[in-house]
Amino acid sequence: NVRLGGLGPDYEAVKEKVEKLRQQKEYAKQIKERNMKNITSVQKLPAKPKVTTSVSRQKALEYAKKIPRPKTFVTRQPEEEVKDEEVLSQILRRNHLPQIASLETLQERHEKEKQVVAAFRTLHIL
């Protein structure tokens, strides 16, 4: 008595699966109802008064008011740094910067180097 598969759908297997799913849903519904009843009974218990926490907080606030605050220390710069900053600020206010003595020599050097670069460009080295 061996039954081989056919070409069409197996309605008996589908019915068994549908019945199994229906039973699972029914069981889940029963468990949910039971849990809801348990939750309502737990919620009916009286809550503890929270008066002790407010009293301890008040004590802590009073204690904090009585403690002296720490003094803040201001760090001072050394006198040399202060003098240097004053000199720089005065120079910048006047827009007067000290002249470089060798400015003319630097300009001459720059002109010579420009000529050397121009010579290299004419030779296509650069």
Side-chain angles (χ1 to χ4, degrees):
N1 291 338
V2 175
R3 182 174 177 205
L4 300 174
L7 292 175
D10 188 9
Y11 291 113
E12 292 177 13
V14 172
K15 287 181 183 179
E16 290 174 1
K17 287 182 183 179
V18 169
E19 182 63 27
K20 188 175 180 181
L21 284 174
R22 189 188 60 76
Q23 288 176 353
Q24 286 178 348
K25 287 182 182 180
E26 183 64 31
Y27 180 72
K29 185 177 180 181
Q30 291 173 0
I31 296 297
K32 184 177 178 182
E33 289 174 0
R34 186 181 303 159
N35 288 339
M36 291 301 287
K37 288 179 184 177
N38 290 341
I39 289 174
T40 56
S41 64
V42 170
Q43 289 178 350
K44 291 180 183 178
L45 296 175
K48 293 182 181 179
K50 296 184 178 181
V51 177
T52 56
T53 57
S54 63
V55 171
S56 62
R57 177 167 170 72
Q58 291 297 327
K59 288 181 183 178
L61 290 173
E62 290 175 14
Y63 177 75
K65 288 178 184 177
K66 294 178 184 176
I67 295 177
R69 296 185 185 266
K71 296 179 181 178
T72 57
F73 296 101
V74 177
T75 58
R76 295 184 181 176
Q77 295 178 347
E79 292 179 15
E80 294 175 2
E81 291 180 9
V82 173
K83 289 179 182 177
D84 291 341
E85 288 178 3
E86 289 175 4
V87 170
L88 286 174
S89 64
Q90 288 176 0
I91 290 172
L92 292 175
R93 279 189 219 140
R94 294 181 194 161
N95 291 330
H96 175 67
L97 297 176
Q99 292 292 327
I100 299 174
S102 62
L103 182 60
E104 293 175 0
T105 58
L106 290 175
Q107 285 178 346
E108 290 174 7
R109 180 179 165 190
H110 177 65
E111 293 300 326
K112 288 179 184 177
E113 288 178 355
K114 276 172 120 181
Q115 292 173 359
V116 170
V117 170
F120 281 133
R121 286 192 180 155
T122 57
L123 297 174
H124 301 291
I125 294 176
L126 288 179

